[in-house]
Amino acid sequence: MKCCLGAFFLEDYGSSFKTTNKDYLPAIKKASALVVEASGLTSHAAVVGLSLGIPVVVGATDAVSKVKDGSKITVDARRGAVYLGEASNI
């Protein structure tokens, strides 16, 4: 998936944020995965992602600065890993 930073997303795009709140909900609903710098299993991103069935990685240090807008990433939410580029088998 491609990563898009900011408020506008297309389907099959992941998103990378420092943190989220209810204002991000329309964009989150269009994202295929969330990568968030703020950590916590009860964080807004974790709760919303779980309720929407979207893979979420929380506590991703420096995610916003390391993943550039338009970058292709692979999110492995089970392992809490984010890989630059596409991976066919995780």
Side-chain angles (χ1 to χ4, degrees):
M1 79 189 74
K2 287 185 180 178
C3 181
C4 183
L5 307 177
F8 301 100
F9 300 89
L10 299 173
E11 296 213 8
D12 296 326
Y13 273 62
S15 57
S16 177
F17 300 107
K18 287 190 180 279
T19 187
T20 62
N21 61 45
K22 64 180 178 131
D23 296 332
Y24 287 94
L25 196 54
I28 290 171
K29 287 182 177 181
K30 295 178 183 178
S32 55
L34 296 174
V35 178
V36 183
E37 288 185 6
S39 64
L41 295 176
T42 58
S43 68
H44 181 266
V47 172
V48 170
L50 179 65
S51 67
L52 295 175
I54 299 170
V56 179
V57 173
V58 295
T61 306
D62 299 326
V64 172
S65 63
K66 290 181 180 178
V67 179
K68 302 298 180 205
D69 193 14
S71 298
K72 290 190 178 192
I73 61 171
T74 300
V75 175
D76 183 351
R78 276 193 190 146
R79 294 184 182 125
V82 179
Y83 304 98
L84 288 175
E86 292 183 47
S88 57
N89 294 325
I90 300 178

